[in-house]
Amino acid sequence: MAAQSFPIYISMLLGLLAILSSYGSCSFDTNFSIEEATLKDLQLAFYQNKLTSTQLVEFYLEQVRRFNPILNGIIEVNPDALNQASQADLERKRSSPRSLSPLHGIPVFVKDNIATKDQLNTTAGSFALLGSIVPRDAGVVTKLRKAGAIIFGKASLSEWSDFRSYEQPNGWSARGGQGKNPYTMGEPCGSSSGSAISVAANMVTVSLGTETDGSILCPSTLNSVVGIKPTVGLTSRAGVVPISLRQDTVGPICRTVADAAYVLDAIAGPDRYDNSTIEASKYVPKGGYGQFLKEDGLKGKRIGIVRKLYDFGHDDVFYIGAFEKVFKTLKQGGAILVDNLTINSFHVITGSSSGEWTAVLAEFKISINVYLKQLVASPIRSLSDAIEFNRKNSKLEKLKEYGQELFLEAEATKGIGGAEKAALARLAKLSKEGFERLMIKNKLDAIAAPGRLISHFLAIGGFPGVSVPAGYNPQGLPFGIGFGGLKGFEPRLIEIAYGFEHLTMGRKSPSLGRH
Ligand SMILES: *[C@@H]1O[C@H](CO)[C@@H](O)[C@H](O)[C@H]1NC(C)=O
Ligand SMILES: *[C@@H]1O[C@H](CO)[C@@H](O)[C@H](O)[C@H]1NC(C)=O
Ligand SMILES: *[C@@H]1O[C@H](CO)[C@@H](O)[C@H](O)[C@H]1NC(C)=O
Ligand SMILES: *[C@@H]1O[C@H](CO)[C@@H](O)[C@H](O)[C@H]1NC(C)=O
């Protein structure tokens, strides 16, 4: 049976509720397990009076107390979270359930570069932004609140979304400490490390991350969760500490494809503070993304395989076998694999001479200065202030260990000049004649590849991607399969990802010393 869209599902629940209450049975059931629960599970539990948002938040507060000191996935918990939860519980009692969104009464972490106008700080992990006051909620946070979500706190990240230096470790920030992978206690990847860690370790239901090049797809893969990197402009970047408005995008990180699709429903669409969302709103499907959660979603999909994207160095032996199994599953689900494809200028795009750095360094300086200037108050007002702050607070910001080379290189740029214009033209050409031509020529619905290398191709074109858990290596490190497509391909990527997930159910929760 194809999955129902959410409103139909809720109306089925209502029927069930009517039957239950006609027997006068509405007692609280402690048997319900919150761990690994999906949005549907939680909404069902709410309506069966097995669970309240208050209990849900209390559960996660306890999880954060137990596991965050080890994992460092969260920088701040919202002191207002329990208030928002009891508000949601009241609203649920008063309203007809059909009117509530799948996110109503659900706690969400947002990456610490996403602004919230409340008691939480928005700092991109750096002490330089501690005490800054944002003018308003980020566009995506406004939409989350409108959907009734509880803003539970700020997830940790690679500081400044990995754009301070070449040496800074993935998942480290001065304010958040070193984030850890809950499966291995090692590398969580980044830069949306805490968003992936917190969801993987059941410290929250769902979270938001951001990606400029790989920052949602990579941590999702390594922490065994589902990440959606939307088409650039599908979700608002207003109020997000930026790197490049040409490449930045905000997307969900969740435990299941369905949860990620419902979160995308909540955050996608126009925002008057980010004009790119007006143009990209043509990609938002009528009726939402829930309708694409089809168990047979792989059927008839043309999926391209570019073998060069499967380069794991010395770990090749295990992964080549593992991905052959993935391909078999895709075929089993009815997908048509188009194998042995090549992307024009592959090594230029994945290498250092594509022009991406030239463009992004200049774009970063421009957009970070705009972000800092529009703050109501802030210890720093420009990139040059940030550099100075790090020098003055070198111990706190580990300047000796990690440096700030990217900040310095960006500060040395002088706007979009000749070199930058040439780089931008080169990038556009590489994207058009590379990934885009490959997709169109072969009539592909998606390219399947590990998140790590495919992210460059998606980044420079503003294209979307989805990562789904695909298994664990012999050391217990998770890996995922990514699906990338052209602008606005989210519906078919969600169909493919959901179909694959349905056949594999590959995610296991981390043991964290409990078993
Ligand atoms: C508790 O949950 C288990 C597994 O879902 C189920 O088999 C069992 O019947 C439940 N017990 C009660 C008392 O509801
Ligand atoms: C935000 O930062 C200030 C320090 O500037 C701190 O006092 C406050 O507790 C922080 N907010 C939260 C929610 O942690
Ligand atoms: C968006 O576009 C409108 C109309 O072109 C313009 O007036 C406005 O300043 C733009 N807003 C932003 C945030 O760039
Ligand atoms: C792909 O290339 C390999 C090695 O060159 C070959 O063995 C295989 O048959 C090719 N597969 C397809 C579907 O063309």
Side-chain angles (χ1 to χ4, degrees):
M1 185 194 79
Q4 311 274 2
S5 70
F6 217 89
I8 297 170
Y9 178 74
I10 293 286
S11 73
M12 282 167 56
L13 287 184
L14 272 179
L16 186 61
L17 257 182
I19 294 163
L20 284 177
S21 49
S22 72
Y23 286 91
S25 109
C26 253
S27 62
F28 181 70
D29 181 353
T30 48
N31 193 21
F32 176 74
S33 166
I34 298 173
E35 199 155 308
E36 296 291 307
T38 64
L39 289 174
K40 272 194 179 182
D41 295 336
L42 293 171
Q43 293 298 348
L44 178 61
F46 288 153
Y47 287 110
Q48 291 180 334
N49 286 322
K50 287 181 178 176
L51 181 73
T52 63
S53 291
T54 303
Q55 288 167 328
L56 187 59
V57 167
E58 280 168 350
F59 171 85
Y60 287 131
L61 283 171
E62 182 55 27
Q63 290 287 100
V64 169
R65 258 194 296 275
R66 280 178 72 190
F67 298 118
N68 200 50
I70 315 163
L71 299 174
N72 287 329
I74 295 135
I75 298 184
E76 285 183 6
V77 168
N78 195 344
D80 192 41
L82 280 169
N83 283 339
Q84 289 181 32
S86 59
Q87 184 67 32
D89 289 332
L90 269 179
E91 279 168 13
R92 189 176 310 112
K93 273 195 200 135
R94 285 181 191 150
S95 47
S96 89
R98 260 172 182 287
S99 63
L100 299 181
S101 112
L103 280 176
H104 186 270
I106 300 290
V108 182
F109 278 129
V110 301
K111 187 176 175 179
D112 189 43
N113 64 343
I114 299 174
T116 55
K117 183 85 175 156
D118 50 21
Q119 295 178 68
L120 294 160
N121 297 290
T122 304
T123 69
S126 169
F127 283 103
L129 279 176
L130 188 57
S132 69
I133 298 173
V134 299
R136 64 189 77 83
D137 278 337
V140 289
V141 170
T142 301
K143 286 191 188 322
L144 283 179
R145 291 199 208 271
K146 210 160 162 194
I150 296 164
I151 305 301
F152 190 35
K154 292 290 170 76
S156 62
L157 71 172
S158 313
E159 198 183 87
W160 292 101
S161 302
D162 213 12
F163 212 75
R164 191 184 101 184
S165 76
Y166 297 101
E167 304 298 327
Q168 64 182 107
N170 279 325
W172 175 85
S173 69
R175 290 197 66 222
Q178 179 59 58
K180 298 224 174 96
N181 186 314
Y183 291 87
T184 61
M185 294 300 147
E187 160 79 59
C189 200
S191 65
S192 305
S193 44
S195 310
I197 293 166
S198 59
V199 166
N202 280 280
M203 295 194 282
V204 73
T205 312
V206 295
S207 73
L208 295 189
T210 67
E211 172 152 338
T212 308
D213 190 338
S215 283
I216 288 174
L217 297 176
C218 185
S220 297
T221 282
L222 282 198
N223 295 283
S224 206
V225 287
V226 174
I228 299 182
K229 181 238 173 197
T231 302
V232 170
L234 190 74
T235 52
S236 170
R237 290 82 47 80
V240 177
V241 181
I243 293 179
S244 157
L245 291 180
R246 188 178 45 78
Q247 292 188 192
D248 291 351
T249 184
V250 182
I253 297 186
C254 306
R255 287 183 293 268
T256 65
V257 177
D259 284 3
Y262 294 130
V263 173
L264 186 60
D265 270 336
I267 62 172
D271 171 20
R272 68 194 176 97
Y273 294 108
D274 178 357
N275 278 344
S276 309
T277 59
I278 313 293
E279 154 88 9
S281 65
K282 66 178 179 230
Y283 298 128
V284 180
K286 219 173 148 200
Y289 292 102
Q291 64 188 299
F292 304 108
L293 302 170
K294 298 176 183 163
E295 289 179 0
D296 64 352
L298 283 166
K299 211 166 160 188
K301 293 292 190 304
R302 290 176 60 82
I303 300 178
I305 310 289
V306 176
R307 294 278 168 175
K308 268 193 196 148
L309 289 168
Y310 296 80
D311 177 8
F312 290 94
H314 52 80
D315 286 335
D316 259 0
V317 179
F318 168 78
Y319 284 111
I320 286 172
F323 279 101
E324 285 305 329
K325 264 193 220 149
V326 167
F327 299 155
K328 227 167 118 186
T329 304
L330 295 174
K331 276 193 253 182
Q332 195 191 323
I336 301 146
L337 297 197
V338 187
D339 205 343
N340 287 346
L341 297 175
T342 55
I343 302 183
N344 288 331
S345 308
F346 183 97
H347 289 291
V348 181
I349 296 168
T350 55
S352 56
S353 61
S354 67
E356 191 182 354
W357 277 109
T358 307
V360 169
L361 282 167
E363 289 166 337
F364 174 67
K365 182 181 178 184
I366 295 167
S367 46
I368 194 68
N369 283 338
V370 169
Y371 176 87
L372 295 173
K373 284 207 177 70
Q374 52 93 52
L375 292 170
V376 174
S378 176
I380 58 166
R381 284 296 185 178
S382 65
L383 178 56
S384 128
D385 288 351
I387 290 168
E388 201 45 42
F389 179 93
N390 288 339
R391 286 190 180 130
K392 284 200 179 123
N393 299 273
S394 67
K395 221 182 198 146
L396 204 55
E397 287 287 342
K398 293 204 179 192
L399 194 64
K400 256 205 200 108
E401 290 94 325
Y402 305 143
Q404 54 177 342
E405 274 62 41
L406 282 169
F407 272 14
L408 297 173
E409 285 179 34
E411 181 59 19
T413 63
K414 296 186 168 62
I416 305 295
E420 287 77 16
K421 280 187 189 138
L424 286 168
R426 182 171 162 79
L427 277 176
K429 187 163 184 278
L430 285 169
S431 186
K432 193 160 189 62
E433 293 175 0
F435 187 78
E436 198 173 328
R437 178 173 295 172
L438 176 72
M439 290 289 298
I440 292 168
K441 204 176 95 191
N442 295 286
K443 300 189 172 65
L444 299 178
D445 296 295
I447 299 271
R452 212 167 44 115
L453 282 179
I454 200 178
S455 73
H456 299 304
F457 297 91
L458 305 180
I460 64 171
F463 300 132
V466 179
S467 180
V468 191
Y472 304 82
N473 82 2
Q475 288 75 45
L477 179 67
F479 64 93
I481 180 75
F483 302 101
L486 296 175
K487 286 186 183 176
F489 271 28
E490 282 83 357
R492 47 187 120 179
L493 297 183
I494 287 169
E495 284 184 350
I496 291 169
Y498 190 81
F500 177 78
E501 178 186 56
H502 173 70
L503 288 176
T504 52
M505 293 303 187
R507 179 184 149 73
K508 290 182 232 156
S509 81
S511 66
L512 289 168
R514 275 167 303 162
H515 305 310

